[in-house]
Amino acid sequence: MRLRQWHFSILLAAGYLVVSGPTVGAAELTATPAEQVDLLIQQSDDEGLLKVAKQLRGGLTVSADNPLRVPNFPKARQALETAVTLPGARQAEAKLLLAKMMLAGEGGPVDVDRALALLDDVIKAGNAEAAYIRGQKLASLPNRDQEARGNLNLALRLGDGAAAFELAKLSGATPAHTAAMTSFGLNLLRQRVARGDAGAAFDLGGYYRKLSDKPEDQKEALGWYRKAAQLGQTAAVVWVARLLGNPDTPLFDRTAAVEQYQTAARDGSIEAAQELVRDFADAGPLKVPPDIYDVWIAKLIDAKDATAVLYYSQALQETAEQRRQSSDQLYEATMAGDVANVDDLIRIGESFRDGAGVVIDQTRAASIFRLGVRNGSNAALTRFAHLVIDAPSLRSQENVALALEKLSGLAAKGSVTGQLLLGDMYAKGVMGQVDETKAIDLYRRALAAAESVEVLNRLAEVYLSSADMNKRRKAFPYIERASRAGSESAMLKEAEAYADGEIVGQDFDRAVALYKKAISLGATDALVSLANLYLSRGGETAFRDAHKAFSDAIAAGNREAPVEMARFLKANGKLDEAIDRLTAAARRNNSSAAVELYEYASERAQDPNVGAQWLRLALKTMSDVPREKVHLASVMLMPSDIRLNLQGAAMLRELAGAKIPGAAVALSSVYIEGKGDVKDVPAGLELLEQASQKGDVDALLKLGDLYMDGKFVEGDGQKAVSYYRAVITLYPDDPVANMRMARAYREGRGVERNLAVAATYLKISSDAGSRMATRDLGLAYIWGSGVERQEDKAIQLLRSAAEHGFAFAWHDLAETYGSAIGPEVDASQNFRLNMRGAREGHVSAMIGAGVALLSGFGTQRDPEAGILWLERASASSGWDAPDAMHRLAEVYKFGIGVGKDPKKAREWELRAANAGSATAMFHLALDLEAANTDASKAEAIKWLQSARALQHVQAAKKLKRMGAEDMSSVSLQGVEDNDVEE
């Protein structure tokens, strides 16, 4: 961005946008037009008021050096409100102008009814324009066609040719009548143009522009707009620029378009100046040169234009305080009514919603969108409704009532969007309680109007969210229809349904076919799911089939497949083959595969310098995806290659400077965690503090985590909470910060322990989309932790978390059916849910599924498949992988589904113990003690001590019984020798 030489004080001055317009340069005036309004009102001067209103609406030039004209709509409207009450020759003209402003929402809310009444008064004086405007507006309202026809016919008789085009569009017109009216209107307008009427040429330009996208029609439109411009119509110049600046047409000429915009801007058009600035800031098709941008951004700021303030703030490397100040100023200006263009209003609202150039503030975004809603903008309404639906903190009585009223009006007119969003309000309990019945009814009405994949998926989600199995089964027909319509997410849901057999009859072949279809469309998630489905079936060909699925995808050119296959192979204990696959992909310039290859090779060798050549290759073939750049740069700091380290650090600094999420945190981790043989905790903390001062949420969260965990810095719970609260101040619904606050209150770290407050934070995080929070909230309802115990609510939340990708929740859900903590025990449900989680890679679910297959709990016994899942779980990097190893030891020790094999049993028990399983340590110690030699007893004591250090109660008791408790360096207070089994 340019303009860096400007001091930020310019922006601060620009930010204080005022409602009054600039001073008129005429020497004879001692007051500005805005100030004159109050004087003229006192004098009841209708002619003066009308004249000043026109000046204020059209805008006054900023200064002799700045030609831009700044309108003052609120003051213009105030002048007209008085002028229409004063009888006289200018009253009708004042009414016409006021009606136009009311219909456009200039200077106040849209008021259609009053505007129509004012226009009706003006029509009685024989005004063609009033008849045309009223007829055109009536034509857009339901059941007003007859009135519209009457007004438009009158306008046509009075010489307004554009009325003919509106008459041609009215319902009930025959093709012959439409053609005749169109021909009549065109001839009439051409005659007026011949007499030098610029407005008629402008109307002809609009007719051909809207007629079709055909090049000949757009060329005709361009010709008429040019004619209108020649005749003095300034607005026509902007349309000439727009047509020339459309890259999708043969008329495209960026140089000519830029010149036309500059011409219009030099004639005072703020809109033209905004287009030039917008194209530069958004890297648009016109490629506006920096020097032209500099000129017009300066003049717009001088004109105190709110849109320019937004763009200029994006161009600066602001501090957090500067960003906050400019955000405040932009918001104040917008709410003061200085932004009349609804598109700009929406853009500014989106900036506050998304944090683009301003401090993110959903409350302010909602307020700005609410202005657009009151001005009759459906685009603003949809954005406002989405905010109210998605952000619980915005569900005030006023906001909910407005969204409900406007969406109900849209829905009543048959709007699919209105019905969809209104359905979302009921489905998500925006009005208080979830109302599935009303949500389903609205979704069905929307579906009746149009076969929408979005609506089909919404209906499926409502049914799937139910804890009632009969309702859940109703989701399948909608999933099936959305899948047939090409929805990848629905296709995956349909495949999962057939694989799982819960809401539709289980059909392995059908599930495979659907997954393969999704894979052919590029859905890599389907590839992973298909491989897991093969494994879940077990049998001799299971792994081979999964292997082939990945191989086929790689052969078909799926660039993500090699990395996914490598992860699959590694998870199944085949690291060497995973490295071979990644090597082949990396040599074909797959940068993601090269980075993954380095990580696998260095892990296998336990040496960060092994495989560094693949990072150099990845650097040469690096993608433009910011997230992948951050990952590559972070990994480049691992080997002790100073050149790679410097390149990685430089990349991270550049990415952090560009405010790419995660870059500043990745760079700080280098110093704090000592990656790449570099450790400098103060330097890392300084990086995080600098980033946090600029509003970097990742940096604030990292600082909070560091002080909460106390691993690399001295623990300080209160300080940690202050960082989490800083995030919530900027982003009240941030899911991660709210999760952290929930943990703080649940554990009483940095704050007084309060489970109810913890649950509140969990709900905010869950509503904001955190699947982990949804799962934790479900567990809270299971146990009544800070909320009233509700089994149905708990199951609904756990299922929602699981179905939205949080695999841990499948095992939690399975446990509710496999124990007494939830509904009645249902072994088949327990197995199906564990299998869902296992297929998505959750280790505890793999163990649950494996044990069920070995024992026949809830499914047919299949020892081979059970062992396969336990082996996969043991090969994972999950914290519970040692438990899977211990289970395998028991399988071979007791011959569960296989022949007894003491040697294999000992091997797995030893692996589990070495991997950290306290239970395995305990049982290994018992076996060693049973050998009854001095050496085996000594070794048994060592394993018992290790288990005791991990808080294994029975190991502590055993040491006590052996008289060896004094050999342990760890104490367990309160342990009683009551012979309770572990």
Coordinates of all heavy atoms in Angstrom, one line a residue, residues 74-105:
P74 N -29.1 14.2 5.6 CA -30.0 14.5 6.7 C -30.5 16.0 6.7 O -31.6 16.3 7.0 CB -29.1 14.2 8.0 CG -28.1 13.2 7.5 CD -27.8 13.7 6.1
K75 N -29.5 16.9 6.5 CA -29.9 18.3 6.5 C -30.8 18.7 5.3 O -31.8 19.5 5.4 CB -28.7 19.2 6.5 CG -28.9 20.6 7.2 CD -29.1 20.4 8.7 CE -29.2 21.7 9.4 NZ -29.6 21.5 10.9
A76 N -30.5 18.0 4.1 CA -31.4 18.3 3.0 C -32.8 17.8 3.2 O -33.8 18.5 2.9 CB -30.8 17.5 1.8
R77 N -32.9 16.7 3.9 CA -34.2 16.1 4.2 C -35.0 17.0 5.2 O -36.2 17.2 5.1 CB -34.1 14.7 4.7 CG -35.3 13.9 4.8 CD -35.0 12.4 4.6 NE -36.1 11.6 5.1 CZ -36.1 10.2 5.0 NH1 -35.1 9.6 4.4 NH2 -37.1 9.5 5.4
Q78 N -34.2 17.5 6.1 CA -34.8 18.4 7.1 C -35.4 19.7 6.4 O -36.5 20.1 6.7 CB -33.8 18.9 8.1 CG -34.4 19.8 9.2 CD -33.3 20.4 10.1 OE1 -32.1 20.0 10.0 NE2 -33.7 21.2 11.0
A79 N -34.6 20.2 5.4 CA -35.1 21.4 4.7 C -36.4 21.1 3.9 O -37.3 21.8 3.9 CB -34.0 21.9 3.7
L80 N -36.4 19.9 3.3 CA -37.6 19.5 2.5 C -38.8 19.2 3.3 O -39.9 19.5 2.9 CB -37.2 18.3 1.6 CG -36.2 18.5 0.5 CD1 -35.8 17.2 -0.1 CD2 -36.8 19.5 -0.6
E81 N -38.6 18.7 4.5 CA -39.7 18.4 5.4 C -40.5 19.7 5.7 O -41.7 19.7 5.9 CB -39.2 17.7 6.7 CG -38.8 16.3 6.5 CD -40.0 15.3 6.4 OE1 -41.1 15.8 6.2 OE2 -39.8 14.1 6.4
T82 N -39.7 20.8 5.8 CA -40.4 22.1 6.1 C -41.0 22.6 4.8 O -42.1 23.1 4.8 CB -39.4 23.1 6.7 OG1 -38.9 22.5 7.9 CG2 -40.1 24.4 7.0
A83 N -40.2 22.5 3.7 CA -40.7 23.1 2.4 C -42.0 22.5 2.0 O -42.9 23.2 1.4 CB -39.6 22.9 1.4
V84 N -42.2 21.2 2.2 CA -43.5 20.6 1.7 C -44.7 21.0 2.5 O -45.9 20.8 2.1 CB -43.4 19.0 1.8 CG1 -42.3 18.5 0.9 CG2 -43.2 18.5 3.2
T85 N -44.5 21.7 3.7 CA -45.6 22.2 4.5 C -46.0 23.6 4.1 O -47.0 24.1 4.6 CB -45.3 22.1 6.0 OG1 -44.2 23.0 6.2 CG2 -44.9 20.7 6.4
L86 N -45.2 24.2 3.3 CA -45.4 25.6 2.9 C -46.1 25.7 1.6 O -45.5 25.2 0.6 CB -44.1 26.4 2.9 CG -43.2 26.4 4.2 CD1 -41.9 27.0 3.9 CD2 -44.0 27.1 5.3
P87 N -47.3 26.3 1.5 CA -48.0 26.4 0.2 C -47.2 27.4 -0.7 O -46.6 28.3 -0.2 CB -49.3 26.9 0.6 CG -49.1 27.6 1.9 CD -48.0 26.9 2.6
G88 N -47.3 27.1 -2.0 CA -46.6 27.9 -2.9 C -46.3 27.2 -4.2 O -46.5 26.0 -4.3
A89 N -45.6 27.9 -5.1 CA -45.3 27.3 -6.4 C -44.3 26.2 -6.3 O -44.2 25.3 -7.2 CB -44.8 28.4 -7.3
R90 N -43.4 26.2 -5.3 CA -42.4 25.2 -5.2 C -42.7 24.0 -4.3 O -41.9 23.1 -4.2 CB -41.1 25.9 -4.6 CG -40.7 27.2 -5.3 CD -40.7 27.1 -6.8 NE -39.6 26.3 -7.3 CZ -38.4 26.7 -7.6 NH1 -38.1 27.9 -7.4 NH2 -37.5 25.8 -8.0
Q91 N -43.9 24.0 -3.8 CA -44.3 22.9 -2.9 C -44.3 21.5 -3.6 O -43.7 20.5 -3.1 CB -45.7 23.1 -2.3 CG -46.1 22.1 -1.3 CD -47.5 22.3 -0.7 OE1 -48.4 22.5 -1.5 NE2 -47.6 22.3 0.6
A92 N -44.8 21.4 -4.9 CA -44.8 20.2 -5.6 C -43.4 19.7 -5.9 O -43.1 18.5 -5.7 CB -45.6 20.3 -6.9
E93 N -42.5 20.6 -6.2 CA -41.1 20.2 -6.5 C -40.5 19.6 -5.2 O -39.7 18.7 -5.3 CB -40.4 21.4 -7.1 CG -39.0 21.0 -7.6 CD -38.3 22.2 -8.3 OE1 -38.9 23.3 -8.4 OE2 -37.1 22.0 -8.7
A94 N -40.8 20.3 -4.1 CA -40.2 19.8 -2.8 C -40.7 18.5 -2.5 O -40.0 17.6 -2.0 CB -40.5 20.9 -1.7
K95 N -42.0 18.2 -2.7 CA -42.6 16.9 -2.4 C -41.9 15.8 -3.3 O -41.7 14.7 -2.8 CB -44.1 16.9 -2.7 CG -44.9 17.7 -1.6 CD -46.4 17.6 -1.8 CE -47.1 18.3 -0.7 NZ -48.6 18.3 -0.9
L96 N -41.7 16.1 -4.6 CA -41.1 15.1 -5.5 C -39.7 14.8 -5.0 O -39.3 13.6 -4.9 CB -41.0 15.7 -6.9 CG -40.3 14.8 -7.9 CD1 -40.9 13.5 -8.1 CD2 -40.3 15.6 -9.3
L97 N -38.9 15.8 -4.6 CA -37.5 15.6 -4.2 C -37.5 14.8 -2.8 O -36.7 13.9 -2.6 CB -36.8 16.9 -4.0 CG -35.3 16.9 -3.8 CD1 -34.6 16.1 -5.0 CD2 -34.7 18.3 -3.8
L98 N -38.4 15.1 -1.9 CA -38.5 14.4 -0.6 C -38.9 13.0 -0.8 O -38.3 12.1 -0.2 CB -39.4 15.1 0.3 CG -39.6 14.5 1.7 CD1 -38.3 14.5 2.4 CD2 -40.6 15.3 2.5
A99 N -39.8 12.7 -1.7 CA -40.2 11.4 -2.0 C -39.1 10.5 -2.5 O -38.9 9.4 -2.2 CB -41.4 11.3 -3.0
K100 N -38.3 11.1 -3.4 CA -37.1 10.4 -4.0 C -36.1 10.0 -2.8 O -35.6 8.9 -2.8 CB -36.4 11.3 -5.0 CG -37.0 11.5 -6.3 CD -36.2 12.4 -7.2 CE -36.8 12.6 -8.6 NZ -35.9 13.5 -9.4
M101 N -35.9 11.0 -1.9 CA -35.0 10.7 -0.8 C -35.5 9.6 0.1 O -34.8 8.8 0.6 CB -34.7 12.0 0.0 CG -34.0 13.1 -0.8 SD -33.4 14.5 0.2 CE -32.1 13.7 1.1
M102 N -36.8 9.6 0.3 CA -37.5 8.6 1.2 C -37.4 7.2 0.6 O -37.2 6.2 1.3 CB -38.9 9.0 1.5 CG -39.1 10.2 2.4 SD -40.8 10.6 2.8 CE -40.6 11.6 4.2
L103 N -37.6 7.1 -0.7 CA -37.5 5.8 -1.4 C -36.0 5.3 -1.4 O -35.8 4.1 -1.4 CB -38.0 6.0 -2.8 CG -39.5 6.1 -3.0 CD1 -39.9 6.4 -4.4 CD2 -40.3 4.9 -2.4
A104 N -35.1 6.2 -1.5 CA -33.6 5.8 -1.5 C -33.0 5.7 -0.1 O -31.9 5.2 0.0 CB -32.8 6.9 -2.3
G105 N -33.7 6.1 0.9 CA -33.2 6.0 2.3 C -32.1 7.1 2.5 O -31.2 6.9 3.3

